Each structure stands twice: as C-alpha cells, then as structure tokens.
Amino acid sequence: MISRNKLHTVSSKFNKKLLLALTLSVLSLAVVWTTAILTETHIAQAAPGDWQWQKRSNGIVGDALYSLSIASSTDGTKLAMANLNPAINTGYIYTSTDSGASWTEQNSAGQRTWTSITSSADGTKLAAVENHWDDNLGQTVGSIYTSTDSGVSWNEQTAAGSRDWQFITSSADGTKLAAVVNDEDNGGGYIYTSTDSGATWTERTSAGQREWQSITSSADGTKLAAVENHWDNNLGQQVGYIYTSTDSGATWTERTSAGQREWQSITSSADGTKLAAVENHWDNNLGQQVGYIYTSTDSGASWTEQNSAGQRTWTSITSSADGTKLAAVENHWDDNLGQTVGSIYTSTDSGASWTEQNSAGQRTWTSITSSADGTKLAAVAAMDSVYTSTNSGVSWTEQTVMGSRMWYSVASDSSGTKLAAASIYGYIYTSTDSGATWTEQTSSGQRTWASIISSADGTKLAAVDGLDNNGYIYTSTDSGASWTEQTSAGQRNWNSITSSADGTKLAAVDNDNGNGGYIYTSTDSGVSWNEQTAAGSRDWQSITSSADGTKLAAVDNNNGYIYTSTDSGASWTEQTSSGQRTWASIISSADGTKLAAVAGGFGDDGYIYTSTDSGASWTEQTSAGQRGWYSIASSGDGTKLAAVDSNNGYIYTSTDSGASWTEQTSAGSRLWISVASSSAGDKLVALAHFGNIYTGTIEQRSS
C-alpha cells in the first residue's frame, strides 16, 4: 500500500525523543486556517514553448511545516527560521523583516536538514547548521552556512568540516560564532568557534568529545555555555553536564552544581552572567519525559532549580538581554487528546516564578526566541505555525502566511481556471483564477482528504475522506462553497474518486486500509451509491472515468492489475497485458480510449504505461525513467500527459501520448503528490506533499 503505509516518517539526531512523539502525533495535529490572497512567485524564466511554473500558495494561510529553530534580531523585527519537511527530511530557511507578519523563502542555501539558526543583533548576519545521513560515508554529516545580507544569499563554510552539526550561536555583531557537534554514533563531537563570521574555525577540545545539544553566547562572544547529554549504561538514562567558557571557547569548565541531567537547551543574558537551561528525563511513574528549569546568576558557577513552572518536557528557552525576562516552551504526550501538546511559559524575575501563557494554545512547541528587551517573542510549533507576541508573551498572534500544507489531491475544471485542492487533516481550498487566489472552504470540515475531483465546468466537486478508515464521500454543487456528506456508500477507507464531465456519474474506490475493498458508483451526483463487486475486493488505489462516465479504469496497488469497465462499473475486465504492478495512479482521455497509468510511489520505483485501446493492450514508456511515480494527468484528447515523481523528483510532461517525456525542472525537485490538467493540456496544477501548490502554463511563442 503506497498512499499511507509507505509515507515517510523521518528522524534526525537533533532531538530523537521529540521526533518520536511527533511521529506519533503528527497525524493528529490540526490547525484552523483562514483565507488570504496569494502573492505570485515566479519560479524561473521560461522560453517560448516551455512550461512556466509559479508557486501559488504563499498567500494561503497555513503551517510552517516542521520548524526546528527560530532566531531574532535585537529589536525583534527581523526573524529567521530553519524549516524541515518531515517527509523528505529537508527544508528551506525563511526570513521575515516585519516581526513575522510576512515571510520570504530563502532558497540560495538549498533544501537541507537544518537543525539550528542564529542571528546578529541587527539581523543582517545569519548562520545556520544542518546535518544529514550520507550513505557513502555511513554517518551523519553536514555543513555550516552563513549570510551577510539577512539571508538573501548564503555561503557554505567548509573550514570546520562536514559534521553532525547540532546547534549554533552568535555574538551581537555576528563575527564570533560557536557551533556544537552531536555525532552520537561516534561517541560525540567537539565545539567549534570562529572569530571571522565563519570563514575559519577552531576545534575546541578542552570541553571533551560529547553529544552536544545546545550552545549560547554573550553579546561580545567571550562567554559561552553549552549543554550535552549522552546515554549512561550505569544509570540507564541520558545524562550530561553544563560547560562554560570565559575566553571565547579556548578553555571550558564543567559545571557539576546543576547535576547530571538530560539537558536540552540553554540561553544567556547579554553579559553572560545570567544563564537558564532546561532539561527533561524519562520518568517511569509519569511515563514521559519531564524536567525542570535551572538558572544561574554567576555565569554558571552555581545553579538554582526553578520548579514553579513544574516538571515538563522542555524543548527550548530564551532570554532578554538583561536576563530578567525568560520564555520557555514544552511539549508532552497527552493520553486524553491522543497527541503531543505543550504550552509557553514566561518569567519576569529571572526564572523565580513562571506564568503559563495559554493564548497561543497547546501545541508541539520546538523553539522560541526573544528580542533584547524581552517584549517581542516568536515561537514555532511542529506541523503548525509561527506565533509572535509583542507583550512578553501575554497575547500571541498566529502568523499564518507560509502556505505549506500536507497536500494530497488536486483537481481542475476543463479550462484550468477553477481549481480545488485537498489537504490531509485540513480543509479543501478552491480557486477561480487558475490558482492566483484561494478560498478555504470550511463547510466541508477538517478531514483526512484522500482525493478530489471536478466536473468540466468546475461547479460540481466530489471528495473522499478515507485515510482513517472511517470517512464519507462529500459532494458540492456550488464550486466548493457548501458541501453535503453522502452517507449512503458508508464509512470507508476511500482512496480515490472520479467524475463524468457533467458531474452526475461518480465512481469511488475503497481499499479498507490495505485489506481490500470495492468499487462504488453513483448516477445521481453522489446521492445514492451502488457497490460494484464484479472486479472483486482489492487494494484499489486510483480510478478514472471517460467524459460520459461509461468507461472506467481502476488500478490495484497491491502488485495487482488494471481493471476496465465499459458499462459504468457494472462489469469489469482484468487487463493483464500491463502486468502485475504497484499501481499508483491512472487517467483517461475524454473518450476513454487512451489511458495512462503509473507504477511506483513513495519508496518504490516504476514506469509509465499507456494504452490506446481502452486498456486492452499496454506499452511500457521508459523514456521518463524508473521513478517514484505517484500521479498522472491527461488532456482531454489524451495526447498531452503530465506525471509527478514523489521521491523528491521532478514533474515530467509529454506531448505525444507518453512516447517521449520532458523533465520540467523549473518547479524544483519536490515530494510531488498530485497533478491535474486542463482539457487542452496547456495548464497544469501540481501539489508538493508537505509543501505548496504550483501552477504551470505553456509560454506562448511569438508569431
């Protein structure tokens, strides 16, 4: 089963326990979004006759995917965020110059597994670290990247080597940097410092080789403090110490007064005298990670356990310049909610007392940052949004302009002007201007949408909710403004739905979560349904229809065959000439004579197959290569095709019914999940799973 069972869940070294909790809860997270107008972003210049792609979801309010680290300028107006796409374990850096109200994707540093980002006081100098698994080396490696223009351009700093970078910090002027290496697989790493904004680096061995978690710096860069934790066989748990330096990292002192703990994050006042650190450890009685906040007023020589905020799974802490205002975030597993949640806590007396700030809600918080005066805060939550505060955390504003979603299916009317996109654990979104602007359709509810289809004129839509094996079919007759739950077909693990051109004939497939399901058809726009058992109970993955709804074709994902029907699904023919394959998607021309199907999907590679005789015979089209094909789209006449590679690949197009293919690189290499075409084949819309919406148009040739 491709569509859910093989969706990637990834891990990284930065916080293994947090990722475990997030993996358990990510499918439960839901964020309420509102509607916004999109700003068009051109991906690349196109020559006449080429496809031109535009990113179409910057203005759809939404989540920040999996934001691991956020940094702030002194005045809190300039923010920088390191983002991670959990499906492919990479992401981009985003920057804001208006305290998080709007964001710019900075892609010059590339799509990487970012773990930490830091900023100079004025926000012009940034530094970020990443790590990734290298199959050739058999270990985790990564690089340091720096920017001197607020993130517009980036330089890879290779002098420190390729390492399992965990965290980075900066002096106020951005010239002094300090970064730590985790390198758990090799017994830990070292601390590295730079005095020239990252151009050269010095390995600091006096603190030892350890599994470093976090590091912080005074404003002048002379005072540093770092925390580590490692597995101790004798104690049977993760433990570590706090280390401090007063000479920019040349020498280090192990601070034992705070005890051996599973330290997660540390922060410093501008002068380096006031420190605050958070820890958590596994508690057998509570059955989860918990810990306290610790503070120091003498540069780490002595520490006080601050327990007024309680024992919690702390993940990040930040400080004002004078060290009096602190803010910390936590998350924990909640059995009642069945997901990971947490709160933001603030202190105005250097950590002696704490206030739980509930206005931002309970979320899976991963990082928090503060302005110098402590009034402006910014925090990020996994698979959620950026939240900002201008009153020291008392009230929070959700900054929802990122536009990223866990997209799953997209549909187009015949002209390509009316579009509909569905997100998993989210809403349905519609556009009436080829994707330039989008409307969030909340009447359908937040559901685990698996597939959406449109009539030729775009007025009739049908979508299926099935990823949790208990969803219904939903239909709309007003272009998505209102929706009707159609219960006559039952609650099932719906996987795909298709429609005739006029929207009266529908067909949907159920796979019972990989255990086999049936095909269902409707002749009254979804009001009533008939279970069609002639094709058997199978792991149905995708279904397609001719314009008149009489010719249907469906694919069995479980190393099965393609099945076709010429009587609206009453009887079916098993088409064996294409072979038994892991079919992911199938599409039909308007008359049903030309079919195209793709095999592959997440983690699997396959080929594209085409038929010109309604599925009786098939041709394996190898020119596009063996890839993780997930979705395919067709023009009305079947001559123009588009297919997407889900294994962080590209969009491919064909103008000769699939005989030859062109790789379209201008939209980028992404985890593509769905593609739809106008009837003429001149307009395409594609979804990047855990990403954005992209539209493509053919650049017109001059006469």
Side-chain angles (χ1 to χ4, degrees), residues 113-459:
T113 313
W114 302 108
T115 58
S116 176
I117 194 166
T118 191
S119 172
S120 60
D122 61 6
T124 58
K125 289 184 177 180
L126 302 176
V129 292
E130 59 95 19
N131 63 53
H132 61 276
W133 181 260
D134 189 297
D135 285 328
N136 294 325
L137 296 175
Q139 65 184 53
T140 302
V141 294
S143 295
I144 297 172
Y145 290 78
T146 60
S147 173
T148 57
D149 53 11
S150 300
V152 176
S153 61
W154 291 81
N155 293 315
E156 183 180 21
Q157 305 292 359
T158 59
S162 181
R163 306 184 188 281
D164 183 7
W165 299 106
Q166 178 79 358
F167 207 91
I168 193 167
T169 191
S170 172
S171 60
D173 63 6
T175 58
K176 290 184 178 180
L177 300 175
V180 294
V181 175
N182 181 266
D183 205 6
E184 174 192 4
D185 292 335
N186 295 303
Y190 290 106
I191 297 171
Y192 292 77
T193 61
S194 173
T195 57
D196 51 14
S197 301
T200 61
W201 291 83
T202 301
E203 183 181 69
R204 303 298 189 178
T205 60
S206 66
Q209 190 175 8
R210 306 187 186 281
E211 294 171 31
W212 299 106
Q213 299 296 319
S214 177
I215 192 169
T216 190
S217 172
S218 59
D220 62 7
T222 58
K223 290 184 177 180
L224 301 175
V227 294
E228 59 97 16
N229 68 63
H230 60 276
W231 181 259
D232 188 294
N233 285 325
N234 293 326
L235 296 175
Q237 64 183 53
Q238 294 282 132
V239 292
Y241 286 112
I242 297 173
Y243 292 78
T244 61
S245 173
T246 57
D247 53 12
S248 301
T251 60
W252 290 82
T253 301
E254 184 181 68
R255 301 298 189 177
T256 59
S257 64
Q260 266 191 311
R261 307 187 184 279
E262 193 172 344
W263 300 108
Q264 299 298 317
S265 177
I266 192 167
T267 190
S268 172
S269 59
D271 62 6
T273 57
K274 289 185 177 180
L275 300 175
V278 293
E279 64 100 13
N280 56 64
H281 62 275
W282 182 259
D283 188 293
N284 285 325
N285 293 326
L286 295 176
Q288 62 185 40
Q289 295 286 131
V290 292
Y292 288 112
I293 296 171
Y294 291 77
T295 60
S296 173
T297 57
D298 54 11
S299 300
S302 60
W303 290 83
T304 301
E305 182 182 79
Q306 306 290 0
N307 52 31
S308 67
Q311 270 191 307
R312 308 192 182 278
T313 313
W314 302 107
T315 56
S316 179
I317 192 168
T318 190
S319 172
S320 60
D322 62 6
T324 58
K325 291 184 178 180
L326 300 176
V329 292
E330 59 95 19
N331 61 67
H332 60 276
W333 180 259
D334 188 295
D335 284 328
N336 293 327
L337 296 175
Q339 65 184 54
T340 301
V341 294
S343 297
I344 297 173
Y345 289 78
T346 60
S347 173
T348 57
D349 53 10
S350 301
S353 61
W354 291 82
T355 301
E356 182 179 14
Q357 305 292 357
N358 295 313
S359 66
Q362 280 200 308
R363 308 186 185 280
T364 312
W365 301 107
T366 58
S367 182
I368 192 167
T369 190
S370 173
S371 60
D373 62 5
T375 58
K376 289 185 177 179
L377 299 175
V380 289
M383 297 303 298
D384 204 324
S385 298
V386 180
Y387 293 79
T388 59
S389 174
T390 57
N391 54 6
S392 301
V394 176
S395 60
W396 291 81
T397 301
E398 182 180 10
Q399 306 292 359
T400 51
V401 295
M402 300 296 291
S404 295
R405 291 276 189 286
M406 198 187 298
W407 297 109
Y408 209 83
S409 182
V410 68
S412 171
D413 69 350
S414 61
S415 67
T417 56
K418 288 186 175 180
L419 306 176
S423 65
I424 305 176
Y425 302 96
Y427 290 107
I428 290 173
Y429 295 78
T430 59
S431 173
T432 57
D433 51 13
S434 300
T437 62
W438 291 83
T439 300
E440 183 182 68
Q441 304 293 359
T442 59
S443 66
S444 60
Q446 276 185 301
R447 306 187 188 281
T448 49
W449 301 110
S451 178
I452 193 167
I453 195 70
S454 172
S455 60
D457 63 4
T459 58

Side-chain angles (χ1 to χ4, degrees), residues 627-689:
R627 305 186 185 281
W629 303 112
Y630 202 90
S631 178
I632 192 165
S634 172
S635 59
D637 62 7
T639 59
K640 293 180 179 178
L641 300 174
V644 292
D645 176 6
S646 66
N647 289 340
N648 204 25
Y650 293 104
I651 297 171
Y652 292 77
T653 59
S654 173
T655 57
D656 53 10
S657 302
S660 61
W661 292 81
T662 301
E663 183 181 68
Q664 305 291 348
T665 59
S666 64
S669 174
R670 306 184 188 280
L671 192 105
W672 299 107
I673 189 75
S674 183
V675 64
S677 173
S678 61
S679 180
D682 58 342
K683 292 181 180 179
L684 296 175
V685 56
L687 303 181
H689 195 45

Side-chain angles (χ1 to χ4, degrees), residues 560-632:
Y561 290 109
I562 294 173
Y563 293 77
T564 60
S565 173
T566 57
D567 53 9
S568 301
S571 61
W572 291 82
T573 301
E574 185 180 69
Q575 305 292 358
T576 59
S577 65
S578 60
Q580 282 183 293
R581 307 190 186 281
T582 310
W583 299 108
S585 178
I586 192 167
I587 196 69
S588 172
S589 60
D591 62 6
T593 58
K594 289 185 177 180
L595 299 175
V598 292
F602 291 107
D604 289 319
D605 287 333
Y607 288 109
I608 297 171
Y609 295 78
T610 60
S611 173
T612 57
D613 52 11
S614 300
S617 61
W618 291 82
T619 301
E620 185 179 69
Q621 306 291 0
T622 59
S623 65
Q626 196 173 14
R627 305 186 185 281
W629 303 112
Y630 202 90
S631 178
I632 192 165

Side-chain angles (χ1 to χ4, degrees), residues 509-511 515-520 531-540 554 556 563 569-574:
V509 292
D510 160 38
N511 72 0
N515 296 316
Y518 290 106
I519 297 171
Y520 292 77
E531 185 181 64
Q532 306 291 357
T533 60
S537 174
R538 305 188 185 281
D539 189 4
W540 300 111
D556 176 4
Y563 293 77
S571 61
W572 291 82
T573 301
E574 185 180 69

